[in-house]
Amino acid sequence: MRNKFIRMMHYKCRQGIYPSSNVKRFEVPEDKVPWNVDYPEYEPVKYTASVLKGKPWADPEIEEVSFKPNWNSFDEKVNRKSFTGDYVINEEGYPLNPVGRTGIIGRGLLGRWGPNHAADPIVTRWKRNTTGALEIDKTTDKPILQFVAIQRRDSGEWAIPGGMVDPGETISATLKREFMEEAMNSLEKDDIGKEELECSIKEFFEKGEEFYEGYVDDPRNTDNAWMETVASNFHDEHGSTVGQITLTAGDDARNAKWMTVDRNLNLYANHIEFIKRTVRKRNAHW
Ligand code: RP5
């Protein structure tokens, strides 16, 4: 399960302007990404969004004397361990992005210094025609997969309906909660409505297959804060359970829909990689 992480490269978190800001990343050519490659000209911009200040889900500044994080371990309820192995704390006391340079120091929009843990539910069904028969791609002779995608409010990009793991929350709870919030609009329901929604997907969400845990090439990553995720596939083979539900966008999602898998999809962060792995696992058309 652990990823052969050392070979990983990031792209989306080295591009131009930092999300929801006018802060320009210092340019980092691909060969200068690894920390062990000298880059004497490197002058990353320092940026931590002001929106983080005083938020209960965000860390204080590193310099704050009362802030004594236990790096590389479970720190009270906050998971500061990385799936990539132990990360380095530099001389100034900042954790270093395990993939390498991003052109920005500080936390940007991310709440935690070091790893920020998320979970991504990849909910799939087969594409069917109007009679209910599987659609088979003529070139590969394989059935075509569809997955639940949401359109993010922040960037407008389509994405897997993942979200942050709350302190002390189990990954399986995050996977179900985020799906309910972003693709079923559970936050707008009263307690009874929420319970009904949960009942309708409870059994389905018990049969997930975890296939990735590791770094995410998220556009919000910085040199000192980055996203990691656990991605699990929940598959409705006969299209008879979750495959039938009406999707309603909620919370951070502007839209939600069943998206037909296509290798040319342009998705948020490196979510296309997760879809590709799911396709392989299901032996679907790519
Ligand atoms: C990505 O950001 C993860 O893969 C996950 O989909 C998402 C979590 O962040 P929020 O959607 O909560 O902002 O890196």
Side-chain angles (χ1 to χ4, degrees), residues 11-75:
Y11 303 93
K12 298 253 176 132
C13 63
R14 273 165 45 220
Q15 283 176 21
I17 308 290
Y18 190 87
S20 306
S21 80
N22 51 12
V23 178
K24 194 173 178 325
R25 290 179 186 269
F26 192 88
E27 203 183 324
V28 184
E30 189 160 328
D31 62 323
K32 296 289 195 298
V33 168
W35 293 110
N36 57 9
V37 174
D38 273 351
Y39 191 11
E41 305 83 16
Y42 187 52
E43 273 187 47
V45 185
K46 189 170 185 174
Y47 177 59
T48 295
S50 54
V51 68
L52 303 184
K53 221 178 165 129
K55 291 288 184 323
W57 43 264
D59 288 335
E61 291 305 306
I62 292 275
E63 295 77 17
E64 210 160 283
V65 274
S66 60
F67 182 47
K68 295 190 172 56
N70 290 316
W71 302 120
N72 290 303
S73 54
F74 274 93
D75 190 11

Side-chain angles (χ1 to χ4, degrees), residues 118-120 152 154 160-164 178 182 216 218 220 227 229 252 268-269 271 274:
D120 282 292
R152 294 179 64 96
D154 54 3
I160 296 161
M164 301 294 188
E178 286 292 335
E182 297 192 346
V216 184
D218 190 291
R220 296 169 293 184
M227 292 295 305
T229 199
D252 299 337
Y268 181 74
H271 282 184
F274 304 156

Side-chain angles (χ1 to χ4, degrees), residues 120-125 146 171-172 175-176 179 201-211 231-237 242 258 278 282:
D120 282 292
I122 299 169
V123 173
T124 52
R125 71 178 184 188
Q146 294 184 317
I171 301 288
S172 56
L175 288 162
K176 194 166 58 176
F179 185 80
I201 59 163
K202 189 171 177 279
E203 210 179 306
F204 181 74
F205 268 83
E206 274 161 12
K207 297 191 194 90
E209 293 169 61
E210 191 183 302
F211 65 90
S232 287
N233 179 214
F234 301 88
H235 182 63
D236 182 0
E237 180 65 20
V242 168
W258 285 99
T278 312
R282 296 275 156 219

